[in-house]
Amino acid sequence: MSWTLVCAVLLATAGLLVLGVLACRLWLDVRALAREVDGASRALAEAAGQLAAAAPVR
């Protein structure tokens, strides 16, 4: 077997492994961001409810 073919296969495998690791990191970051957005939207909804309750009715 040619050494160039072996090197090409090893480089392709290493590249796929690197892309897989980066995809996992991205998924974890997106999950954390989604949690933060969920918490912020719940806080905003609660504050809007408190503001509506405190506003005088005309």
Side-chain angles (χ1 to χ4, degrees):
M1 197 185 306
S2 175
W3 286 106
T4 57
L5 181 61
V6 171
C7 289
V9 169
L10 288 176
L11 284 174
T13 304
L16 288 174
L17 287 173
V18 167
L19 287 176
V21 168
L22 291 175
C24 289
R25 288 186 58 195
L26 177 66
W27 179 70
L28 290 173
D29 286 345
V30 167
R31 208 172 70 172
L33 179 62
R35 281 192 197 124
E36 290 179 18
V37 168
D38 181 54
S41 65
R42 288 178 191 269
L44 281 172
E46 183 181 346
Q50 290 174 359
L51 183 62
V57 177
R58 291 186 192 204

